[in-house]
Amino acid sequence: MVKAVFFDIDGTLVSFKTHEVPQSTIEALDILRKKGVKVFIATGRHRSSINNLGDLQFDGYVTLNGGYCTAGDDKVIYKHSIPDRDIEALIRYMETEDAFPCAFVQEKEIFMNYKDETVEKIFNMLNFPEPPIRPLNEIWGKTVFQLVSFFTTEQEKTIMSILSNCKSTRWNPLFTDVVPSGSSKRVGIDRMLEYYKIPLRECMAFGDGGNDISMLQHAGIGVAMGNAEDNVKQYADYVTDSVDDDGIIKALKHLNII
């Protein structure tokens, strides 16, 4: 019996085409809640950047790819930040070698060192609120939970060797979410299930991106959206239709959850 369902946002709950949650998905979430199933967000976004879910209610939020988790709206139950020495090494590299657009995600705010056409393209695609631009040196001494880094796959090996206590969770060729080693949506799910005392076998997860693979593998039932890449689908227990073709409600009905 499924007692908890975790949903990625972009490309899963929310369409890249319309930037909205399909009506069928809104109905599915309502049915789940009426059946007593807890529903959770599992996203790479910072909580302040979740601007596309309307008035939908959730029982908790796994944000920053598992690095910051809240039960209900604001009870912090887990957080895991990037080591200061990695941030310091990155700043030195960007000041002397090769600067690239980067959003520094802190507990309460986000800022970027600069933006270019690639940044604007991605933020428009995601309908993502653009962070303010501030001098790079303002991040000294601040706690950082995630980096939204606009470097290419070719640059990745070099830059990630500097961030030796982090990992890249790329789901787009133009940028990657860099998180501390040990962070993942899988870890965030575990923390949420522990808090609510729900067995892992009684949860399911929906996702479409590379940063969703860990939770699709881990959940009792992992469902990949039809718009996911093949390298994501191969880790799912079930592949449904795309977000724009009512994939969530179709999967829930096919699997006899609703």
Side-chain angles (χ1 to χ4, degrees), residues 4 8 15 52 78 89 107 115 152 154-155 161 180 200 228 235 240:
D8 170 57
S15 165
N52 49 5
Y78 177 73
E107 186 165 19
K115 65 179 180 179
T152 65
E154 291 75 22
Q155 294 172 289
S161 69
L200 179 63
Y235 293 102
T240 187

Side-chain angles (χ1 to χ4, degrees), residues 31-171:
I31 294 170
L32 285 173
R33 293 182 68 87
K34 286 178 178 177
K35 287 173 63 72
V37 177
K38 294 192 179 300
V39 293
F40 300 98
I41 289 298
T43 181
R45 290 188 182 226
H46 187 279
R47 183 64 187 279
S48 67
S49 301
I50 299 176
N51 64 340
N52 49 5
L53 297 179
D55 58 0
L56 291 174
Q57 299 295 308
F58 295 89
D59 295 287
Y61 295 81
V62 174
T63 65
L64 304 182
N65 291 299
Y68 200 92
C69 304
T70 57
D73 283 331
D74 53 17
K75 180 178 176 58
V76 179
I77 61 172
Y78 177 73
K79 54 185 177 180
H80 181 41
S81 61
I82 295 174
D84 292 345
R85 60 184 179 277
D86 278 32
I87 298 298
E88 293 165 3
L90 178 64
I91 294 172
R92 287 192 292 270
Y93 173 82
M94 294 175 75
E95 288 179 336
T96 60
E97 299 290 338
D98 184 19
F100 53 86
C102 185
F104 295 83
V105 184
Q106 302 164 70
E107 186 165 19
K108 300 297 184 183
E109 64 175 342
I110 308 171
F111 79 79
M112 295 196 72
N113 55 334
Y114 74 96
K115 65 179 180 179
D116 59 15
E117 291 181 358
T118 297
V119 174
E120 292 182 348
K121 176 181 178 180
I122 292 297
F123 284 173
N124 286 335
M125 179 189 78
L126 298 175
N127 191 30
F128 192 93
E130 292 192 14
I133 306 299
R134 294 181 187 166
L136 184 61
N137 60 18
E138 285 198 19
I139 204 61
W140 285 107
K142 304 287 181 61
T143 299
V144 177
F145 289 87
Q146 180 170 287
L147 303 168
V148 183
S149 303
F150 290 82
F151 55 74
T152 65
T153 53
E154 291 75 22
Q155 294 172 289
E156 186 163 324
K157 183 176 180 180
T158 297
I159 295 170
M160 292 310 299
S161 69
I162 296 163
L163 295 162
S164 57
N165 298 287
C166 296
K167 63 181 179 181
S168 168
T169 59
R170 183 179 294 275
W171 58 277

Side-chain angles (χ1 to χ4, degrees), residues 162-206:
I162 296 163
L163 295 162
S164 57
N165 298 287
C166 296
K167 63 181 179 181
S168 168
T169 59
R170 183 179 294 275
W171 58 277
N172 185 287
L174 299 179
F175 78 102
T176 183
D177 293 332
V178 175
V179 300
S181 298
S183 272
S184 68
K185 291 188 180 183
R186 169 180 177 157
V187 171
I189 283 177
D190 283 343
R191 296 297 180 269
M192 198 66 71
L193 294 176
E194 288 170 8
Y195 179 84
Y196 283 102
K197 296 180 172 56
I198 298 172
L200 179 63
R201 66 180 181 275
E202 295 179 351
C203 86
M204 67 187 301
F206 285 80

